[in-house]
Each structure stands twice: as structure tokens, then as C-alpha cells.
Amino acid sequence: MNDSKPRVLAIILGGGKGTRLYPLTKERSKPAVPFGGKYRIVDIPISNCINSGYKKIYLLTQFNSASLHMHIVNSFNFDRFSGGFVELLAAEQTLEHSGWYEGTADAVRKNFIHFKSQKPTHYIILSGDQLYRMDLKDFVDKHIASGADVSIAAIAVNRRDASGFGIMKTNKSHRITAFMEKPAKDLNIDEWKIPESARGNLPPEKEYLASMGIYVFNAATMEEMLDNEYTDFGKEIIPMAIKTKKINSYIFDGYWEDIGTIRSFYDATLSLTDINPPFNFYNESQPIYAKMRNLPPSKINEALIKQSITSEGVVITKANINKCVIGIRTRIETGSELDGVITMGSDFYEDDATRQEKAEKGIPFMGIGKNCRIAKTIIDKNACIGDNCSINVSGTVYEDGDHGNFYCADGIIVIRKNAVIPSGTVI
């Protein structure tokens, strides 16, 4: 073994209950939410790790982890010679710890017993609910070259957006000298602007550096910084480290989106249908890996499809589809019109016997029935929408919250997983 080569261990944080993504997180954790027709959100950070050559990956979670665990087991299997793995570590009771993860730092601390066995020289901490493509090896290499104890990935933001992030003050050599968590909108933070000598080609209106919640730690430094009762990296560990350690920033100027809310999830997903999408799945040198399903190609039995994505196993018959992302195994029947719709597809096809039984009982088939009109809607997995349904096209305004078979968030309708919407329903 070449001891001079860094041994990097990747840790992906699965997040908390995911209340802002409810009801998509009612029965699954945030990283397990389907995305982009055929992927899960967690496929993004895992693929960034693999493409960067880091194949020892731990995923920390504690809420609704069953579907995530199944996805990981069925999707990421390395050969025995690579030494790689993607392992899910759910919160567990031990003789040392009896409670849940209390925060991001607490989750890492409680799993040191697993991490130390890999003898890492560096840890890279990633979030499980962000959309971006980053060369993590370049991040780690620059961290090592800088001689820093910790490096924080950062994006440039304008003053309006700065209030939603942890903001960092840096000098011309990218060293972080101070950290402020979500500065109030009326607070003067002009002294926190990025030094001109460190700006490079950043847009002029983006004057502040915001933490992406992505960190590289020297192994010894992280173990030292977590030898306490603090629970959160952004609010506690990083501000404390700045006082005693050398902390550098790593400026990332590519596309990055935190998809932690229904609105951000909807917008980020539909942006995939742009002619030149900000996040491009069609990059053969840095692919996003997904579960291998061996599904048949999409089958289009006459349709008008504009600027949309259709996934494997889809069957569409005489439908009009505009700016939509259609998930695996989705069936869309004759005469239906979809505009700005995200379908997460189905876990299986209904066989003929099941469809016959449903027809006799007047129960809609899985998928979208005939002559439906649907707009600005997210349709979760295995939903059954009957004929002649109208969803989010009547102009009715619903309060945010639960409305039975559907949920409203910021004007977007979410049809729940396994929901049955009877024929003729108007939402």
C-alpha cells in the first residue's frame, strides 16, 4: 500500500424527517425520493463519489430508511477486488449511545466505530438532498495542497439569497476567517464580500460565499473537533473550528440546487426538460448511476410530446404531453393532456387479471386514465387516476397542506403514493 496516497472516506448525510418535502417523504427518507424519471436523489452524491474515484461510501439516515436500504442494496454493488462499498448506517442503540442522531455532527460521531476501521486520512462530508455534479477529487486535492485542516465547498450568492445560508468571510488566499449562520436580511454584511483577488470569473452580483454543507476534514481534525457534545456542523462545529484551525473555502461555480422543498424539487425536476438543462444527465464521462431494472423501452402509441422526458417502460397512447418528466412504467391513456407534470411511475405493471378485476369494480387502473387534464402536479408512485379527471387546471386555489388524496404546496398539487383518484374527479 502507498501510504502517501490519501485514503478518503465519503459520508453522505441522509437528513432528518424531511418535513419540507412531505408528502413525498411520508413513507421514504429524503435521499430515497424518486427524481428525474428513473433515479433517486441519493444517486447524485453517490455518483459524484464514484466518478471521483471514492468508492468507500457510508450513508447515514434514521427516518423511513427501508426503501432507501433496498435501493442501495439493489443499485450499488462493487466487485470484490475494488474494495468499494455503499453502506447504509441507520441510527442504532449501542452501549455507548441510546438515542437518535441529534444532528449532522452527532450522526458522524456516533458512527466513528465504523469509520475508523477503514483507517481514512480524510473524510468528505456530503448532503443527501442536493443536485450538482462536482469533481470531488479536485476538491480533496486542493484541500491537501492548501495545508488546511478543513475545507468547505462554497457557492457565490447575492445579498437576497445570503440570508438562507451560512455565509463565510474569507481572505485573498481563500482562508475562512469568520462564519455567520443565515444573516438577517436587514443586516449590513458588506465586510463579508468576496475579496476581488479571489473572485475569478464569478458573476458580479454574487458577492458573498455560502456554505454548501460539503466538507473535507483531515481525519485527525474531525475526530478532535467532534470530541464534545456539539450536534451540528454548520451551527456549531465549523464556527468553533474557525477559531483554532486553518479552514479554507473551495469555490464551486457550477450548477447547485438544494432540493429540500416541494417547490425546489418541482422546479429542479422540470428544469431537466430544458433544451440546455442546468443539470445535464447526458454526460457520458460523469454519469449518474441508477438501479438496473431491465425494463423495455418507452412505447408511444401516437402522441404529441414537447420538451419532455420519458423513462423506461412507459406506455403512452394518443396523449398530449408538454414539459413533463414521466417516470418508469407510467401508463397514460387516450385523450389525456399533461402540462408541467412529474410522474414518479410505478413499482410494477398490473397484470390482465388485476385490471379485469378492477374494471368490474369500477376502480381506476394504475397510471393516468382517458381524457384527463393535469397541470402543475407531482404524481407519486403507483397512483391510480381514473378517466375524465381534472387536476390543477380549474383555477381553484388551495391552502397549503393536506386535502385527503392530495396535498398542496405553493400552488403545486401532489397526488400521494398509492392514491386512487376516481373517474370524473376535479381537483
Side-chain angles (χ1 to χ4, degrees):
M1 179 183 293
N2 181 4
D3 290 335
S4 65
K5 183 178 180 180
R7 297 185 299 278
V8 179
L9 193 65
I11 302 171
I12 300 174
L13 302 174
K17 293 181 179 179
T19 52
R20 296 185 303 157
L21 258 182
Y22 186 88
L24 302 182
T25 52
K26 182 177 184 293
E27 299 177 15
R28 56 171 81 93
S29 61
K30 278 196 295 183
V33 171
F35 180 78
K38 60 175 286 185
Y39 304 92
R40 305 273 187 144
I41 294 175
V42 75
D43 295 337
I44 307 299
I46 291 177
S47 297
N48 279 326
C49 290
I50 295 172
N51 291 331
S52 302
Y54 302 141
K55 297 181 180 179
K56 294 186 176 182
I57 306 164
Y58 285 104
L59 176 58
L60 310 188
T61 187
Q62 64 183 347
F63 295 103
N64 289 332
S65 58
S67 64
L68 179 61
H69 187 272
M70 185 177 298
H71 173 73
I72 295 299
V73 169
N74 291 329
S75 305
F76 298 99
N77 297 301
F78 298 100
D79 67 78
R80 73 176 84 176
F81 304 108
S82 72
F85 58 83
V86 181
E87 185 170 334
L88 190 144
L89 295 175
E92 60 182 354
Q93 288 192 345
T94 68
L95 294 176
E96 289 80 21
H97 307 290
S98 60
W100 293 100
Y101 298 149
E102 301 298 330
T104 53
D106 186 60
V108 172
R109 179 189 300 114
K110 287 177 176 174
N111 284 290
F112 268 139
I113 188 173
H114 303 295
F115 303 152
K116 288 181 179 180
S117 65
Q118 300 300 324
K119 297 181 172 57
T121 58
H122 298 82
Y123 293 98
I124 185 164
I125 311 293
L126 307 171
S127 173
D129 57 0
Q130 297 174 351
L131 180 61
Y132 65 102
R133 183 181 274 109
M134 182 189 291
D135 182 354
L136 301 179
K137 185 178 185 302
D138 182 68
F139 183 15
V140 172
D141 288 348
K142 283 187 169 57
H143 164 80
I144 294 172
S146 73
D149 299 300
V150 184
S151 290
I152 304 175
I155 56 167
V157 298
N158 58 35
R159 178 62 186 91
R160 183 186 67 255
D161 293 337
S163 295
F165 293 93
I167 300 300
M168 299 174 289
K169 183 189 288 188
T170 61
N171 60 25
K172 60 183 180 182
S173 60
H174 301 287
R175 182 164 182 176
I176 300 169
T177 58
F179 185 90
M180 183 189 307
E181 183 73 13
K182 297 182 179 179
K185 293 183 183 296
D186 57 353
L187 181 66
N188 186 335
I189 58 172
D190 288 348
E191 292 185 356
W192 292 65
K193 290 182 179 179
I194 305 168
E196 284 299 323
S197 59
R199 289 190 56 83
N201 296 320
L202 295 174
E205 72 276 7
K206 295 189 175 183
E207 300 178 299
Y208 303 93
L209 276 187
S211 170
M212 298 169 65
I214 299 174
Y215 316 106
V216 174
F217 280 82
N218 294 345
T221 299
M222 190 165 82
E223 291 166 16
E224 177 189 343
M225 299 309 295
L226 294 185
D227 187 16
N228 49 54
E229 298 299 318
Y230 293 125
T231 61
D232 192 85
F233 279 111
K235 295 177 182 178
E236 297 167 315
I237 299 298
I238 296 302
M240 179 179 64
I242 288 171
K243 298 175 183 178
T244 60
K245 302 295 182 182
K246 183 180 180 182
I247 315 294
N248 267 32
S249 64
Y250 174 83
I251 300 177
F252 177 70
D253 60 0
Y255 173 79
W256 177 85
E257 184 65 46
D258 181 347
I259 43 181
T261 67
I262 292 295
R263 164 58 70 179
S264 61
F265 175 86
Y266 179 83
D267 290 343
T269 303
L270 283 197
S271 74
L272 301 175
T273 67
D274 293 349
I275 300 299
N276 294 302
F279 184 87
N280 181 18
F281 275 109
Y282 301 89
N283 183 331
E284 289 187 275
S285 64
Q286 293 181 305
I288 303 301
Y289 300 97
K291 178 180 177 181
M292 298 291 288
R293 294 182 174 87
N294 299 317
L295 286 170
S298 297
K299 185 177 184 181
I300 314 298
N301 300 318
E302 186 180 338
L304 178 60
I305 302 177
K306 300 178 182 177
Q307 205 170 318
S308 297
I309 293 172
T310 61
S311 306
E312 301 105 316
V314 166
V315 180
I316 301 174
T317 303
K318 295 184 179 179
N320 289 344
I321 297 172
N322 179 59
K323 203 166 178 63
C324 295
V325 175
I326 308 301
I328 56 172
R329 301 187 188 89
T330 298
R331 295 182 68 123
I332 303 173
E333 301 295 349
T334 300
S336 287
E337 297 182 4
L338 280 64
D339 187 8
V341 174
I342 300 166
T343 76
M344 294 186 174
S346 303
D347 289 319
F348 54 89
Y349 290 115
E350 291 180 325
D351 57 31
D352 291 340
T354 300
R355 288 169 68 86
Q356 178 63 34
E357 182 180 350
K358 279 190 164 187
E360 293 171 357
K361 295 179 179 179
I363 300 173
F365 300 151
M366 195 177 292
I368 298 170
K370 299 177 181 177
N371 303 313
C372 292
R373 304 289 181 270
I374 307 175
K376 204 174 181 181
T377 296
I378 300 171
I379 301 173
D380 206 342
K381 277 195 169 185
N382 304 335
C384 304
I385 299 176
D387 299 338
N388 303 303
C389 290
S390 176
I391 302 176
N392 216 14
V393 295
S394 65
T396 301
V397 178
Y398 294 94
E399 291 185 2
D400 285 0
D402 202 335
H403 298 271
N405 269 345
F406 72 94
Y407 189 93
C408 184
D410 207 10
I412 299 161
I413 298 297
V414 182
I415 303 298
R416 294 177 177 280
K417 184 178 181 180
N418 300 316
V420 177
I421 309 298
S423 294
T425 296
V426 176
I427 295 175

